[in-house]
Amino acid sequence: MSYVDEVYERVVKQNPGETEFHQAVKEVLDSLRLVIDANEEKYRSMALLERLVEPERVVSFRVPWVDDKGQVQVNKGYRVQFNSAIGPYKGGLRFHPSVNQGILKFLGFEQVFKNSLTGLPIGGGKGGSNFDPKGKSDREVMAFCQSFMTELSKYVGADQDVPAGDIGVGGREIGYLYGQYKRITGLYEGVLTGKGLTYGGSLVRTQATGYGLVYIVAEMLKHNGKDLAGKTVVVSGSGNVAIYATEKAQQMGAKVVALSDSNGYVYDKDGIKLDVVKEIKEVRRGRIKEYVDAVPTAVYTEGKGIWTIPCDIALPCATQNELNLEDAKTLKANGCFAVGEGANMPSTREATDFFLENGMLFMPGKAANAGGVATSALEMSQNSQRLSWTFEEVDEKLHKIMVDIYAKAADAAERYGVKGNYVAGANIAGFEKVVDAMMAQGIV
Ligand code: NDP
Ligand code: 2IT
């Protein structure tokens, strides 16, 4: 059996039930076959792949807090410190009822390669809780965040592990987490990114993942003789990534006609009015169906089905495995020719294979959504220097990073004879740097 297959079998056996983690490992290892086969003896004797798929550390802890009725609640808390070969662990915190160790391990594993691709000195990690911020009061969210950080503070630090936001964790949560870290440790340091602008946050971090997604998709289109302007775009989700992907796509002349949340989706043939969405989602924390109250010509449909809306470009920006093979076929049949993953692993393996086998332009999450963590790394730099850069400076750096990531993925794909396969290209390019650093640092 090949080394890759052996390691994959071992991952399935040793991590029972962690299906998303298995899926992420399989996708990466499959596309690394060419590289690994060429170095099989060396990697095998160093147990390189076995080390790559095993997190350096997984911390899990109890998070007790008191709700507004005086009732004590208990949630699970985690931090997966996956790989620190190229820098301190870096990656978001997700607060969502679906969170479990397997999901955080898949996200941490992806993060290792994504962070490598940014070219910046950041290792990979992820954390979170099965806490659901939806419907909670600000006080309840604060109580939860303070309890979560009381435990997490033992394992994080500006040069050790630097969490940020992800699903269910935005500016409000980062603020409460930061306040508690400072209170416990007495350190005013860049231990979190995505902070508010008055206490060490970076301009553009809020927009960065969505903007970066559109920058790299535009770059991919350009290199394939196409242009974003005038195209019809469907974006799933209506959270941080979806909102700023929509904003940048609109600024670049595309027409975004749909957005969604976990209840349903809105279709606005005249183009999504983003100020309405921001008011619903960022101010009122409401549901996307409220969009039609403000824009009666738009249509709301309950449930899944956003991928049935005809478009040129699809940007899945909600969650993992939200776009399956049927959706991929529907998109293609309706004329969609490009897909950029704002979310982490939003396309199932079958959908990804369909895109690649049918000549669609496909930019996978670990390249396409890397602008968020890249700008987090820029926030870390600013914190270390005790300086703040202007919006234009940060945006320009973000743009350059996304253009570079495109080039790295395109180049690696070409070097290994799979031109245009950005899945293989991103995995290979991300892997090369991490492996080099791991080999240099010996058996650790
Ligand atoms: P938000 O919490 O801001 O928004 C998440 C959006 O996705 C909401 O519209 C939410 O709907 C929807 N959603 C979440 N879970 C589900 C589900 N199980 N089924 C259907 N819809 C769902 O998160 P972000 O925008 O930050 O994150 C979105 C994706 O982007 C995630 O995959 C995340 O890992 C990835 N990402 C985020 C980065 C960042 O900087 N924030 C960076 C890189 C990647 P509802 O409100 O109904 O739950
Ligand atoms: O998935 C991701 O890259 C993020 N949620 C952002 C991580 C970060 O550290 O900014």
Side-chain angles (χ1 to χ4, degrees):
M1 196 188 294
S2 79
Y3 184 34
V4 162
D5 293 323
E6 231 172 75
V7 171
Y8 177 66
E9 268 198 10
R10 181 187 155 114
V11 164
V12 173
K13 203 160 149 207
Q14 295 191 347
N15 301 274
E18 298 185 346
T19 50
E20 290 87 357
F21 180 51
H22 305 166
Q23 182 186 344
V25 168
K26 183 152 181 52
E27 187 223 271
V28 169
L29 292 187
D30 275 346
S31 63
L32 291 176
R33 274 177 203 278
L34 288 170
V35 191
I36 290 163
D37 289 352
N39 297 281
E40 174 154 349
E41 217 171 300
K42 182 171 68 169
Y43 288 169
R44 203 190 264 275
S45 73
M46 298 287 280
L48 184 93
L49 293 186
E50 289 88 335
R51 285 189 284 145
L52 197 68
V53 298
E54 191 66 41
E56 288 176 20
R57 193 174 299 102
V58 179
V59 185
S60 90
F61 47 91
R62 176 171 76 200
V63 190
W65 58 281
V66 182
D67 72 15
D68 283 348
K69 296 190 189 102
Q71 173 65 48
V72 177
Q73 301 285 346
V74 180
N75 286 99
K76 287 178 178 292
Y78 306 88
R79 186 71 181 165
V80 177
Q81 299 183 324
F82 219 110
N83 191 306
S84 62
I86 64 172
Y89 310 105
K90 182 85 197 85
L93 295 171
R94 176 176 293 191
F95 293 170
H96 192 272
S98 64
V99 163
N100 58 40
Q101 184 170 296
I103 287 180
L104 296 178
K105 278 168 67 179
F106 120 64
L107 289 162
F109 184 71
E110 291 280 295
Q111 199 81 44
V112 174
F113 302 94
K114 183 196 303 189
N115 293 4
S116 168
L117 275 174
T118 66
L120 299 166
I122 39 179
K126 200 84 187 189
S129 172
N130 61 353
F131 173 74
D132 186 0
K134 241 178 252 154
K136 303 289 191 300
S137 70
D138 285 353
R139 195 211 59 82
E140 288 176 322
V141 171
M142 181 173 73
F144 173 81
C145 287
Q146 290 182 339
S147 181
F148 184 86
M149 182 50 91
T150 300
E151 191 60 29
L152 187 71
S153 64
K154 297 168 188 165
Y155 311 101
V156 296
D159 294 309
Q160 186 179 357
D161 183 354
V162 183
D166 193 80
I167 292 176
V169 178
R172 174 182 60 171
E173 290 75 19
I174 294 293
Y176 295 147
L177 292 165
Y178 190 75
Q180 185 72 353
Y181 178 84
K182 182 162 63 70
R183 183 189 195 192
I184 290 172
T185 63
L187 298 172
Y188 206 105
E189 61 170 17
V191 65
L192 293 161
T193 57
K195 299 186 291 298
L197 297 176
T198 52
Y199 62 95
S202 173
L203 287 161
V204 194
R205 178 60 189 89
T206 303
Q207 297 85 352
T209 310
Y211 278 21
L213 167 65
V214 175
Y215 289 150
I216 199 168
V217 166
E219 189 69 11
M220 171 174 75
L221 295 184
K222 190 176 92 185
H223 285 269
N224 288 278
K226 295 189 158 65
D227 186 10
L228 192 61
K231 299 297 184 298
T232 299
V233 180
V234 166
V235 179
S236 66
S238 49
N240 173 267
V241 180
I243 286 175
Y244 292 97
T246 300
E247 184 165 287
K248 185 52 71 179
Q250 290 178 338
Q251 286 172 7
M252 293 179 75
K255 185 175 179 186
V256 178
V257 294
L259 284 173
S260 63
D261 61 20
S262 56
N263 295 111
Y265 61 96
V266 284
Y267 171 63
D268 186 341
K269 63 178 183 346
D270 302 318
I272 290 287
K273 284 148 202 77
L274 202 56
D275 52 338
V276 173
V277 178
K278 285 184 179 177
E279 163 68 24
I280 296 168
K281 290 291 175 182
E282 295 185 336
V283 182
R284 300 206 311 264
R285 296 180 188 274
R287 308 307 302 158
I288 200 66
K289 71 171 173 229
E290 294 162 36
Y291 184 85
V292 296
D293 300 338
V295 187
T297 49
V299 181
Y300 174 73
T301 309
E302 195 78 21
K304 294 180 193 283
I306 189 168
W307 307 120
T308 60
I309 298 170
C311 63
D312 301 309
I313 298 165
L315 302 178
C317 295
T319 194
Q320 65 272 3
N321 293 326
E322 56 162 310
L323 196 166
N324 63 23
L325 178 60
E326 274 318 296
D327 300 323
K329 287 180 177 168
T330 306
L331 283 167
K332 168 87 181 158
N334 286 338
C336 174
F337 64 83
V339 179
E341 294 188 323
N344 285 303
M345 206 170 72
S347 312
T348 62
R349 177 62 188 268
E350 295 73 25
T352 299
D353 289 346
F354 179 87
F355 293 140
L356 296 175
E357 285 157 14
N358 286 274
M360 292 169 76
L361 299 174
F362 177 72
M363 190 54 72
K366 63 174 77 63
N369 68 41
V373 75
T375 307
S376 278
L378 300 178
E379 182 172 328
M380 290 165 70
S381 298
Q382 293 168 81
N383 291 164
S384 300
Q385 293 181 74
R386 308 209 183 287
L387 288 174
S388 307
W389 302 332
T390 64
F391 190 96
E392 290 70 25
E393 273 175 286
V394 183
D395 191 36
E396 199 181 304
K397 288 185 203 295
L398 167 63
H399 187 260
K400 183 172 181 312
I401 289 166
M402 299 315 294
V403 168
D404 287 349
I405 292 175
Y406 173 81
K408 282 179 201 165
D411 167 69
E414 217 168 329
R415 271 192 285 127
Y416 281 89
V418 285
K419 187 166 188 256
N421 181 339
Y422 306 115
V423 174
N427 287 334
I428 293 169
F431 174 80
E432 286 175 333
K433 181 177 175 187
V434 175
V435 164
D436 191 67
M438 283 176 73
M439 295 295 258
Q441 291 172 33
I443 311 301
V444 291

